[in-house]
Amino acid sequence: MSALLSRYAESSYWLARYFERASSLARIFEVQTSFSRGRADDQDWAWIIALYSDDENFYERHEAATASTVTNYYVSDLQNPSSVLSSVRAARENARALRPLISTEMWTQANGFYNRLLALGASDFAEMRLSRTCDMIKHGCYDQIGVAESTLYRDESWSFFRMGLLSERADQISRLLDVRFARRATMGEDGEVHDLMTDFSYWTILLRSAAAYHAYRRVEPTGTDPDAIARFLIFDARFPRSVAFCIGEIQRCLYTLRSAFMLRGANSALEHMEIMIEGLETASHDDRLVERLHEFNDWVQGQLIALTSELGQSFFGHPPPEPDEGDGASQTQTQSSSPAKATG
């Protein structure tokens, strides 16, 4: 049976999720800055608000979605719980809670990285320096994940760390696909609506935001076929950020928790993973996937929310959700204060 406390299991899960979330945001802003630099049209930035379904919260505080307001809200605003700085701070607090379990290198990296972000000034987020700042943030998150890979002891906490990382990756890819495909038409300067289905730069932004450009080019050396891009990011299990890869690896982590650490709570989560894998297999044979992509991505995100809820009940000491809370709209962290062990 496992000797890992449920609060440590939960902190391991969210430590990885928060760093992966911060790195995804930093990569998106790095790519967006590169492609929008010098353009007068600030409307290019509105898609990031749609990406995280933050229209209501954002426009309560800002009149328009400009480069400066969107950057401030998602990168340096501590009042936004999903910003880069808020995510890194939350990751640091989870690392502090895990201090008895993680290596000195992991804690030093998390603490030092957060302090480096706090030391950044307004000029570091200006348009001319934003790309460099985001590159630093992105690599700081990569360093943290790499230190964990190299030093974290392979007990149950490693499986929870991996599941948090992979859940966030799958969610980010699904959101990117949903928003970029939904906004593939734009109003030109001539007042006409232009279809972006064949716009090379539009799809390049999507691939680079997913850190998938070079991997995709190995599979598809020429062209940017939207259907091929969607299928690559969803179903190609050789790409470590695809939805299929992440779901398969989460399933392996759950098998490890059940077989190596005798955690019976993994059974219900494994049943949930079987449903997801079956759904992915069915969708992979759908010739009209692009037409139905929004519905499919809604299903993926709903399944990932349900998986997080299932892990919370099985391992983190969370009570079952109330019947009227079944939509699970938020995936923010709810730390368990219970000292119960992660016995499932």
Side-chain angles (χ1 to χ4, degrees):
M1 298 296 287
S2 172
L4 184 71
L5 298 181
S6 62
R7 63 173 179 264
Y8 289 155
E10 185 172 21
S11 290
S12 297
Y13 178 85
W14 283 101
L15 170 62
R17 283 203 74 153
Y18 281 128
F19 271 120
E20 182 64 23
R21 186 175 299 174
S23 71
S24 295
L25 264 168
R27 187 168 54 251
I28 287 168
F29 274 86
E30 180 185 23
V31 172
Q32 177 67 18
T33 301
S34 298
F35 278 85
S36 65
R37 185 176 290 123
R39 296 184 181 181
D41 184 9
D42 274 325
Q43 295 306 309
D44 285 347
W45 294 82
W47 75 273
I48 299 178
I49 302 170
L51 180 67
Y52 295 102
S53 304
D54 277 335
D55 295 77
E56 182 177 350
N57 293 333
F58 178 86
Y59 289 110
E60 280 182 358
R61 299 175 55 189
H62 302 285
E63 293 184 0
T66 65
S68 60
T69 58
V70 175
T71 298
N72 173 265
Y73 186 76
Y74 282 107
V75 179
S76 58
D77 189 351
L78 280 171
Q79 295 183 49
N80 174 16
S82 295
S83 71
V84 168
L85 192 55
S86 293
S87 295
V88 174
R89 180 175 64 176
R92 175 177 174 267
E93 291 307 307
N94 280 283
R96 185 195 298 277
L98 289 166
R99 195 65 189 89
L101 300 185
I102 63 175
S103 65
T104 300
E105 290 82 358
M106 275 190 72
W107 167 247
T108 301
Q109 170 66 24
N111 193 50
F113 180 42
Y114 176 65
N115 288 328
R116 287 199 303 275
L117 293 188
L118 286 181
L120 295 175
S123 63
D124 293 299
F125 301 105
E127 182 179 1
M128 296 306 297
R129 301 183 67 177
L130 181 59
S131 181
R132 184 175 65 178
T133 300
C134 288
D135 183 68
M136 181 274 288
I137 294 170
K138 178 183 69 177
H139 282 94
C141 294
Y142 289 167
D143 290 344
Q144 184 66 55
I145 295 168
V147 170
E149 171 74 31
S150 301
T151 67
L152 190 58
Y153 187 64
R154 288 334 193 237
D155 62 358
E156 308 94 312
S157 62
W158 172 248
S159 292
F160 287 108
F161 182 92
R162 285 282 293 162
M163 286 194 291
L165 182 78
L166 295 159
S167 295
E168 188 65 29
R169 280 185 183 174
D171 180 72
Q172 292 287 335
I173 290 293
S174 177
R175 288 175 180 274
L176 271 171
L177 279 168
D178 199 26
V179 171
R180 296 304 284 181
F181 272 79
R183 298 170 70 87
R184 61 183 185 269
T186 186
M187 183 74 72
E189 295 181 358
D190 54 5
E192 296 293 327
V193 176
H194 298 283
D195 189 353
L196 298 174
M197 290 293 281
T198 59
D199 189 319
F200 178 82
S201 63
Y202 185 83
W203 300 112
T204 299
I205 289 175
L206 169 58
L207 289 168
R208 291 195 181 278
S209 295
Y213 182 80
H214 292 288
Y216 176 76
R217 283 293 172 221
R218 293 186 63 181
V219 178
E220 299 285 344
T222 60
T224 51
D225 177 60
D227 183 75
I229 290 172
R231 291 183 181 278
F232 177 79
L233 292 176
I234 296 170
F235 303 121
D236 196 325
R238 296 169 297 178
F239 177 56
R241 292 183 179 275
S242 73
V243 175
F245 178 90
C246 293
I247 297 307
E249 289 297 304
I250 292 172
Q251 185 184 48
R252 291 184 182 90
C253 290
L254 288 167
Y255 277 131
T256 298
L257 290 173
R258 186 177 67 178
S259 60
F261 302 106
M262 313 300 282
L263 291 179
R264 297 184 302 274
N267 289 331
S268 56
L270 279 168
E271 291 176 3
H272 188 84
M273 299 311 300
E274 291 291 345
I275 293 172
M276 290 201 71
I277 290 172
E278 182 179 346
L280 288 173
E281 178 65 22
T282 300
S284 69
H285 299 293
D286 187 351
D287 294 334
R288 299 174 59 194
L289 176 66
V290 170
E291 298 175 32
R292 301 167 178 166
L293 196 57
H294 177 67
E295 179 183 351
F296 173 78
N297 282 317
D298 274 352
W299 176 81
V300 170
Q301 290 163 33
Q303 291 296 316
L304 289 169
I305 291 171
L307 173 64
T308 299
S309 178
E310 182 63 50
L311 294 175
Q313 295 172 56
S314 298
F315 299 114
F316 306 154
H318 295 182
E322 296 294 331
D324 59 347
E325 297 178 357
D327 60 347
S330 174
Q331 289 198 42
T332 55
Q333 179 181 11
T334 305
Q335 290 278 31
S336 171
S337 59
S338 169
K341 296 180 180 179
T343 59

